[in-house]
Structures are given as structure tokens and as C-alpha cells.
PDB file of all heavy atoms in Angstrom:
ATOM      1  N   ILE A 639      47.838-115.610-144.998  1.00  0.00           N
ATOM      2  CA  ILE A 639      46.774-114.974-145.778  1.00  0.00           C
ATOM      3  C   ILE A 639      47.479-114.143-146.828  1.00  0.00           C
ATOM      4  O   ILE A 639      47.923-113.033-146.573  1.00  0.00           O
ATOM      5  CB  ILE A 639      45.873-114.105-144.882  1.00  0.00           C
ATOM      6  CG1 ILE A 639      45.255-114.964-143.792  1.00  0.00           C
ATOM      7  CG2 ILE A 639      44.791-113.412-145.706  1.00  0.00           C
ATOM      8  CD1 ILE A 639      44.497-114.183-142.748  1.00  0.00           C
ATOM      9  N   ASP A 640      47.612-114.724-148.018  1.00  0.00           N
ATOM     10  CA  ASP A 640      48.401-114.058-149.047  1.00  0.00           C
ATOM     11  C   ASP A 640      47.687-113.942-150.388  1.00  0.00           C
ATOM     12  O   ASP A 640      48.263-113.494-151.357  1.00  0.00           O
ATOM     13  CB  ASP A 640      49.747-114.763-149.223  1.00  0.00           C
ATOM     14  CG  ASP A 640      49.610-116.244-149.532  1.00  0.00           C
ATOM     15  OD1 ASP A 640      48.465-116.717-149.714  1.00  0.00           O
ATOM     16  OD2 ASP A 640      50.632-116.932-149.580  1.00  0.00           O
ATOM     17  N   HIS A 641      46.430-114.314-150.428  1.00  0.00           N
ATOM     18  CA  HIS A 641      45.678-114.209-151.676  1.00  0.00           C
ATOM     19  C   HIS A 641      45.403-112.737-151.984  1.00  0.00           C
ATOM     20  O   HIS A 641      45.125-111.943-151.089  1.00  0.00           O
ATOM     21  CB  HIS A 641      44.361-114.984-151.548  1.00  0.00           C
ATOM     22  CG  HIS A 641      43.676-115.184-152.857  1.00  0.00           C
ATOM     23  ND1 HIS A 641      42.910-114.213-153.439  1.00  0.00           N
ATOM     24  CD2 HIS A 641      43.672-116.235-153.699  1.00  0.00           C
ATOM     25  CE1 HIS A 641      42.439-114.649-154.587  1.00  0.00           C
ATOM     26  NE2 HIS A 641      42.881-115.889-154.762  1.00  0.00           N
ATOM     27  N   ALA A 642      45.485-112.360-153.234  1.00  0.00           N
ATOM     28  CA  ALA A 642      45.294-110.959-153.651  1.00  0.00           C
ATOM     29  C   ALA A 642      43.918-110.420-153.248  1.00  0.00           C
ATOM     30  O   ALA A 642      43.768-109.213-153.040  1.00  0.00           O
ATOM     31  CB  ALA A 642      45.481-110.829-155.161  1.00  0.00           C
ATOM     32  N   PHE A 643      42.923-111.273-153.134  1.00  0.00           N
ATOM     33  CA  PHE A 643      41.590-110.844-152.726  1.00  0.00           C
ATOM     34  C   PHE A 643      41.647-110.107-151.389  1.00  0.00           C
ATOM     35  O   PHE A 643      40.928-109.132-151.175  1.00  0.00           O
ATOM     36  CB  PHE A 643      40.670-112.064-152.612  1.00  0.00           C
ATOM     37  CG  PHE A 643      39.323-111.748-152.026  1.00  0.00           C
ATOM     38  CD1 PHE A 643      38.307-111.234-152.820  1.00  0.00           C
ATOM     39  CD2 PHE A 643      39.070-111.961-150.678  1.00  0.00           C
ATOM     40  CE1 PHE A 643      37.071-110.944-152.282  1.00  0.00           C
ATOM     41  CE2 PHE A 643      37.837-111.678-150.129  1.00  0.00           C
ATOM     42  CZ  PHE A 643      36.831-111.167-150.942  1.00  0.00           C
ATOM     43  N   TRP A 644      42.501-110.561-150.452  1.00  0.00           N
ATOM     44  CA  TRP A 644      42.557-109.992-149.108  1.00  0.00           C
ATOM     45  C   TRP A 644      43.499-108.807-148.987  1.00  0.00           C
ATOM     46  O   TRP A 644      43.454-108.085-147.990  1.00  0.00           O
ATOM     47  CB  TRP A 644      42.977-111.066-148.097  1.00  0.00           C
ATOM     48  CG  TRP A 644      41.916-112.088-147.923  1.00  0.00           C
ATOM     49  CD1 TRP A 644      41.921-113.363-148.392  1.00  0.00           C
ATOM     50  CD2 TRP A 644      40.671-111.917-147.254  1.00  0.00           C
ATOM     51  NE1 TRP A 644      40.765-114.004-148.051  1.00  0.00           N
ATOM     52  CE2 TRP A 644      39.976-113.133-147.344  1.00  0.00           C
ATOM     53  CE3 TRP A 644      40.072-110.857-146.590  1.00  0.00           C
ATOM     54  CZ2 TRP A 644      38.713-113.315-146.788  1.00  0.00           C
ATOM     55  CZ3 TRP A 644      38.816-111.041-146.036  1.00  0.00           C
ATOM     56  CH2 TRP A 644      38.150-112.257-146.145  1.00  0.00           C
ATOM     57  N   ALA A 645      44.351-108.558-149.936  1.00  0.00           N
ATOM     58  CA  ALA A 645      45.367-107.505-149.824  1.00  0.00           C
ATOM     59  C   ALA A 645      44.773-106.123-149.525  1.00  0.00           C
ATOM     60  O   ALA A 645      45.247-105.449-148.600  1.00  0.00           O
ATOM     61  CB  ALA A 645      46.237-107.463-151.074  1.00  0.00           C
ATOM     62  N   PRO A 646      43.756-105.641-150.237  1.00  0.00           N
ATOM     63  CA  PRO A 646      43.218-104.312-149.930  1.00  0.00           C
ATOM     64  C   PRO A 646      42.620-104.234-148.525  1.00  0.00           C
ATOM     65  O   PRO A 646      42.790-103.244-147.812  1.00  0.00           O
ATOM     66  CB  PRO A 646      42.140-104.083-150.987  1.00  0.00           C
ATOM     67  CG  PRO A 646      42.431-105.040-152.078  1.00  0.00           C
ATOM     68  CD  PRO A 646      43.120-106.211-151.429  1.00  0.00           C
ATOM     69  N   ARG A 647      41.930-105.275-148.126  1.00  0.00           N
ATOM     70  CA  ARG A 647      41.316-105.270-146.784  1.00  0.00           C
ATOM     71  C   ARG A 647      42.390-105.279-145.703  1.00  0.00           C
ATOM     72  O   ARG A 647      42.288-104.564-144.714  1.00  0.00           O
ATOM     73  CB  ARG A 647      40.406-106.499-146.651  1.00  0.00           C
ATOM     74  CG  ARG A 647      39.782-106.629-145.297  1.00  0.00           C
ATOM     75  CD  ARG A 647      38.764-105.526-145.072  1.00  0.00           C
ATOM     76  NE  ARG A 647      38.144-105.720-143.772  1.00  0.00           N
ATOM     77  CZ  ARG A 647      37.750-104.746-143.007  1.00  0.00           C
ATOM     78  NH1 ARG A 647      37.859-103.494-143.409  1.00  0.00           N
ATOM     79  NH2 ARG A 647      37.209-104.980-141.854  1.00  0.00           N
ATOM     80  N   ARG A 648      43.409-106.091-145.860  1.00  0.00           N
ATOM     81  CA  ARG A 648      44.492-106.140-144.878  1.00  0.00           C
ATOM     82  C   ARG A 648      45.198-104.791-144.783  1.00  0.00           C
ATOM     83  O   ARG A 648      45.544-104.335-143.700  1.00  0.00           O
ATOM     84  CB  ARG A 648      45.487-107.240-145.237  1.00  0.00           C
ATOM     85  CG  ARG A 648      44.889-108.633-145.052  1.00  0.00           C
ATOM     86  CD  ARG A 648      45.850-109.722-145.414  1.00  0.00           C
ATOM     87  NE  ARG A 648      46.967-109.672-144.497  1.00  0.00           N
ATOM     88  CZ  ARG A 648      48.188-110.087-144.788  1.00  0.00           C
ATOM     89  NH1 ARG A 648      48.461-110.582-145.971  1.00  0.00           N
ATOM     90  NH2 ARG A 648      49.146-110.013-143.900  1.00  0.00           N
ATOM     91  N   GLU A 649      45.394-104.124-145.911  1.00  0.00           N
ATOM     92  CA  GLU A 649      46.045-102.809-145.906  1.00  0.00           C
ATOM     93  C   GLU A 649      45.175-101.778-145.191  1.00  0.00           C
ATOM     94  O   GLU A 649      45.672-100.966-144.410  1.00  0.00           O
ATOM     95  CB  GLU A 649      46.340-102.367-147.338  1.00  0.00           C
ATOM     96  CG  GLU A 649      47.057-101.050-147.448  1.00  0.00           C
ATOM     97  CD  GLU A 649      48.468-101.080-146.878  1.00  0.00           C
ATOM     98  OE1 GLU A 649      49.006-102.168-146.589  1.00  0.00           O
ATOM     99  OE2 GLU A 649      49.055 -99.996-146.720  1.00  0.00           O
ATOM    100  N   THR A 650      43.875-101.810-145.430  1.00  0.00           N
ATOM    101  CA  THR A 650      42.960-100.890-144.745  1.00  0.00           C
ATOM    102  C   THR A 650      42.984-101.115-143.240  1.00  0.00           C
ATOM    103  O   THR A 650      43.054-100.164-142.458  1.00  0.00           O
ATOM    104  CB  THR A 650      41.527-101.057-145.276  1.00  0.00           C
ATOM    105  OG1 THR A 650      41.515-100.737-146.668  1.00  0.00           O
ATOM    106  CG2 THR A 650      40.545-100.171-144.535  1.00  0.00           C
ATOM    107  N   VAL A 651      42.938-102.360-142.832  1.00  0.00           N
ATOM    108  CA  VAL A 651      42.970-102.667-141.402  1.00  0.00           C
ATOM    109  C   VAL A 651      44.290-102.193-140.790  1.00  0.00           C
ATOM    110  O   VAL A 651      44.304-101.581-139.721  1.00  0.00           O
ATOM    111  CB  VAL A 651      42.753-104.181-141.163  1.00  0.00           C
ATOM    112  CG1 VAL A 651      43.061-104.563-139.730  1.00  0.00           C
ATOM    113  CG2 VAL A 651      41.330-104.563-141.520  1.00  0.00           C
ATOM    114  N   ARG A 652      45.401-102.444-141.478  1.00  0.00           N
ATOM    115  CA  ARG A 652      46.725-102.072-140.959  1.00  0.00           C
ATOM    116  C   ARG A 652      46.902-100.564-140.872  1.00  0.00           C
ATOM    117  O   ARG A 652      47.406-100.050-139.876  1.00  0.00           O
ATOM    118  CB  ARG A 652      47.822-102.674-141.842  1.00  0.00           C
ATOM    119  CG  ARG A 652      49.226-102.440-141.330  1.00  0.00           C
ATOM    120  CD  ARG A 652      50.266-103.034-142.263  1.00  0.00           C
ATOM    121  NE  ARG A 652      50.383-102.302-143.496  1.00  0.00           N
ATOM    122  CZ  ARG A 652      51.023-101.139-143.627  1.00  0.00           C
ATOM    123  NH1 ARG A 652      51.573-100.573-142.599  1.00  0.00           N
ATOM    124  NH2 ARG A 652      51.091-100.540-144.801  1.00  0.00           N
ATOM    125  N   THR A 653      46.469 -99.835-141.889  1.00  0.00           N
ATOM    126  CA  THR A 653      46.768 -98.400-141.947  1.00  0.00           C
ATOM    127  C   THR A 653      45.672 -97.508-141.369  1.00  0.00           C
ATOM    128  O   THR A 653      45.952 -96.372-141.002  1.00  0.00           O
ATOM    129  CB  THR A 653      47.027 -97.962-143.399  1.00  0.00           C
ATOM    130  OG1 THR A 653      45.859 -98.200-144.180  1.00  0.00           O
ATOM    131  CG2 THR A 653      48.217 -98.690-143.987  1.00  0.00           C
ATOM    132  N   THR A 654      44.452 -97.998-141.286  1.00  0.00           N
ATOM    133  CA  THR A 654      43.336 -97.161-140.850  1.00  0.00           C
ATOM    134  C   THR A 654      42.618 -97.709-139.619  1.00  0.00           C
ATOM    135  O   THR A 654      42.495 -97.024-138.608  1.00  0.00           O
ATOM    136  CB  THR A 654      42.317 -96.997-142.000  1.00  0.00           C
ATOM    137  OG1 THR A 654      43.008 -96.481-143.151  1.00  0.00           O
ATOM    138  CG2 THR A 654      41.201 -96.055-141.621  1.00  0.00           C
ATOM    139  N   THR A 655      42.136 -98.926-139.704  1.00  0.00           N
ATOM    140  CA  THR A 655      41.307 -99.481-138.634  1.00  0.00           C
ATOM    141  C   THR A 655      42.069 -99.618-137.325  1.00  0.00           C
ATOM    142  O   THR A 655      41.613 -99.131-136.277  1.00  0.00           O
ATOM    143  CB  THR A 655      40.738-100.845-139.059  1.00  0.00           C
ATOM    144  OG1 THR A 655      40.055-100.693-140.299  1.00  0.00           O
ATOM    145  CG2 THR A 655      39.783-101.380-138.009  1.00  0.00           C
ATOM    146  N   LEU A 656      43.205-100.291-137.341  1.00  0.00           N
ATOM    147  CA  LEU A 656      43.947-100.513-136.096  1.00  0.00           C
ATOM    148  C   LEU A 656      44.434 -99.213-135.454  1.00  0.00           C
ATOM    149  O   LEU A 656      44.273 -99.037-134.240  1.00  0.00           O
ATOM    150  CB  LEU A 656      45.105-101.479-136.329  1.00  0.00           C
ATOM    151  CG  LEU A 656      44.677-102.917-136.639  1.00  0.00           C
ATOM    152  CD1 LEU A 656      45.892-103.777-136.955  1.00  0.00           C
ATOM    153  CD2 LEU A 656      43.870-103.507-135.509  1.00  0.00           C
ATOM    154  N   PRO A 657      45.018 -98.259-136.219  1.00  0.00           N
ATOM    155  CA  PRO A 657      45.403 -96.998-135.577  1.00  0.00           C
ATOM    156  C   PRO A 657      44.210 -96.252-134.967  1.00  0.00           C
ATOM    157  O   PRO A 657      44.321 -95.676-133.884  1.00  0.00           O
ATOM    158  CB  PRO A 657      46.039 -96.190-136.709  1.00  0.00           C
ATOM    159  CG  PRO A 657      46.546 -97.212-137.664  1.00  0.00           C
ATOM    160  CD  PRO A 657      45.532 -98.332-137.593  1.00  0.00           C
ATOM    161  N   GLN A 658      43.054 -96.280-135.631  1.00  0.00           N
ATOM    162  CA  GLN A 658      41.869 -95.614-135.091  1.00  0.00           C
ATOM    163  C   GLN A 658      41.390 -96.299-133.818  1.00  0.00           C
ATOM    164  O   GLN A 658      41.026 -95.640-132.843  1.00  0.00           O
ATOM    165  CB  GLN A 658      40.748 -95.570-136.126  1.00  0.00           C
ATOM    166  CG  GLN A 658      39.434 -95.053-135.602  1.00  0.00           C
ATOM    167  CD  GLN A 658      39.526 -93.674-134.971  1.00  0.00           C
ATOM    168  OE1 GLN A 658      40.384 -92.865-135.319  1.00  0.00           O
ATOM    169  NE2 GLN A 658      38.670 -93.385-134.014  1.00  0.00           N
ATOM    170  N   GLN A 659      41.401 -97.608-133.804  1.00  0.00           N
ATOM    171  CA  GLN A 659      41.002 -98.329-132.600  1.00  0.00           C
ATOM    172  C   GLN A 659      41.944 -98.011-131.441  1.00  0.00           C
ATOM    173  O   GLN A 659      41.494 -97.816-130.310  1.00  0.00           O
ATOM    174  CB  GLN A 659      40.970 -99.836-132.865  1.00  0.00           C
ATOM    175  CG  GLN A 659      39.809-100.247-133.731  1.00  0.00           C
ATOM    176  CD  GLN A 659      39.828-101.726-134.045  1.00  0.00           C
ATOM    177  OE1 GLN A 659      40.855-102.391-133.986  1.00  0.00           O
ATOM    178  NE2 GLN A 659      38.670-102.256-134.395  1.00  0.00           N
ATOM    179  N   GLU A 660      43.232 -97.956-131.720  1.00  0.00           N
ATOM    180  CA  GLU A 660      44.184 -97.624-130.660  1.00  0.00           C
ATOM    181  C   GLU A 660      43.930 -96.218-130.125  1.00  0.00           C
ATOM    182  O   GLU A 660      43.903 -96.000-128.905  1.00  0.00           O
ATOM    183  CB  GLU A 660      45.622 -97.734-131.158  1.00  0.00           C
ATOM    184  CG  GLU A 660      46.620 -97.384-130.074  1.00  0.00           C
ATOM    185  CD  GLU A 660      48.045 -97.348-130.545  1.00  0.00           C
ATOM    186  OE1 GLU A 660      48.296 -97.450-131.760  1.00  0.00           O
ATOM    187  OE2 GLU A 660      48.928 -97.202-129.683  1.00  0.00           O
ATOM    188  N   ARG A 661      43.717 -95.245-131.029  1.00  0.00           N
ATOM    189  CA  ARG A 661      43.439 -93.868-130.585  1.00  0.00           C
ATOM    190  C   ARG A 661      42.205 -93.828-129.697  1.00  0.00           C
ATOM    191  O   ARG A 661      42.195 -93.178-128.651  1.00  0.00           O
ATOM    192  CB  ARG A 661      43.252 -92.941-131.792  1.00  0.00           C
ATOM    193  CG  ARG A 661      44.538 -92.455-132.406  1.00  0.00           C
ATOM    194  CD  ARG A 661      44.295 -91.339-133.421  1.00  0.00           C
ATOM    195  NE  ARG A 661      43.455 -91.749-134.537  1.00  0.00           N
ATOM    196  CZ  ARG A 661      43.909 -92.359-135.634  1.00  0.00           C
ATOM    197  NH1 ARG A 661      45.189 -92.631-135.756  1.00  0.00           N
ATOM    198  NH2 ARG A 661      43.084 -92.684-136.595  1.00  0.00           N
ATOM    199  N   GLN A 662      41.157 -94.523-130.116  1.00  0.00           N
ATOM    200  CA  GLN A 662      39.914 -94.513-129.348  1.00  0.00           C
ATOM    201  C   GLN A 662      40.115 -95.160-127.972  1.00  0.00           C
ATOM    202  O   GLN A 662      39.643 -94.645-126.969  1.00  0.00           O
ATOM    203  CB  GLN A 662      38.807 -95.232-130.124  1.00  0.00           C
ATOM    204  CG  GLN A 662      37.463 -95.162-129.476  1.00  0.00           C
ATOM    205  CD  GLN A 662      36.926 -93.741-129.351  1.00  0.00           C
ATOM    206  OE1 GLN A 662      37.278 -92.866-130.137  1.00  0.00           O
ATOM    207  NE2 GLN A 662      36.093 -93.502-128.371  1.00  0.00           N
ATOM    208  N   LEU A 663      40.813 -96.278-127.923  1.00  0.00           N
ATOM    209  CA  LEU A 663      41.052 -96.947-126.646  1.00  0.00           C
ATOM    210  C   LEU A 663      41.896 -96.083-125.714  1.00  0.00           C
ATOM    211  O   LEU A 663      41.684 -96.068-124.502  1.00  0.00           O
ATOM    212  CB  LEU A 663      41.725 -98.304-126.872  1.00  0.00           C
ATOM    213  CG  LEU A 663      40.836 -99.367-127.515  1.00  0.00           C
ATOM    214  CD1 LEU A 663      41.666-100.583-127.887  1.00  0.00           C
ATOM    215  CD2 LEU A 663      39.686 -99.757-126.607  1.00  0.00           C
ATOM    216  N   ARG A 664      42.839 -95.354-126.277  1.00  0.00           N
ATOM    217  CA  ARG A 664      43.647 -94.445-125.446  1.00  0.00           C
ATOM    218  C   ARG A 664      42.806 -93.263-124.970  1.00  0.00           C
ATOM    219  O   ARG A 664      42.911 -92.851-123.821  1.00  0.00           O
ATOM    220  CB  ARG A 664      44.867 -93.946-126.214  1.00  0.00           C
ATOM    221  CG  ARG A 664      45.921 -95.006-126.407  1.00  0.00           C
ATOM    222  CD  ARG A 664      47.188 -94.443-127.018  1.00  0.00           C
ATOM    223  NE  ARG A 664      48.108 -95.488-127.366  1.00  0.00           N
ATOM    224  CZ  ARG A 664      48.861 -96.156-126.497  1.00  0.00           C
ATOM    225  NH1 ARG A 664      48.788 -95.873-125.216  1.00  0.00           N
ATOM    226  NH2 ARG A 664      49.686 -97.102-126.898  1.00  0.00           N
ATOM    227  N   THR A 665      41.962 -92.716-125.852  1.00  0.00           N
ATOM    228  CA  THR A 665      41.140 -91.556-125.516  1.00  0.00           C
ATOM    229  C   THR A 665      40.212 -91.841-124.344  1.00  0.00           C
ATOM    230  O   THR A 665      40.070 -91.018-123.440  1.00  0.00           O
ATOM    231  CB  THR A 665      40.313 -91.111-126.742  1.00  0.00           C
ATOM    232  OG1 THR A 665      41.204 -90.736-127.781  1.00  0.00           O
ATOM    233  CG2 THR A 665      39.406 -89.945-126.416  1.00  0.00           C
ATOM    234  N   VAL A 666      39.589 -93.001-124.341  1.00  0.00           N
ATOM    235  CA  VAL A 666      38.626 -93.315-123.291  1.00  0.00           C
ATOM    236  C   VAL A 666      39.260 -94.023-122.096  1.00  0.00           C
ATOM    237  O   VAL A 666      38.576 -94.324-121.131  1.00  0.00           O
ATOM    238  CB  VAL A 666      37.435 -94.140-123.829  1.00  0.00           C
ATOM    239  CG1 VAL A 666      36.687 -93.359-124.900  1.00  0.00           C
ATOM    240  CG2 VAL A 666      37.887 -95.487-124.349  1.00  0.00           C
ATOM    241  N   GLY A 667      40.565 -94.267-122.159  1.00  0.00           N
ATOM    242  CA  GLY A 667      41.269 -94.831-121.018  1.00  0.00           C
ATOM    243  C   GLY A 667      41.285 -96.345-120.928  1.00  0.00           C
ATOM    244  O   GLY A 667      41.731 -96.897-119.920  1.00  0.00           O
TER     245      GLY A 667
END
């Protein structure tokens, strides 16, 4: 997945979405 259309979304998922999901999963056990 290397088209420029997806670059901003992939960056958001990598830097924001995934870390937040991990924090939430750890918080609730």
C-alpha cells in the first residue's frame, strides 16, 4: 500500500490509533 492517497491515513493509524488502542486494551486488562 504505497499510493499517496493512503499515506496520511496510514500515518494517523501508526502514530495515533494503534497506540491509543494498545493503551485502552492495557487499561481494561
Side-chain angles (χ1 to χ4, degrees):
I639 301 172
D640 56 6
H641 193 279
F643 173 83
W644 291 107
R647 177 69 178 147
R648 291 179 64 207
E649 182 66 12
T650 298
V651 168
R652 185 181 71 77
T653 61
T654 305
T655 306
L656 292 176
Q658 173 56 28
Q659 288 177 338
E660 180 186 8
R661 279 191 299 275
Q662 185 63 27
L663 290 171
R664 288 187 188 284
T665 298
V666 299

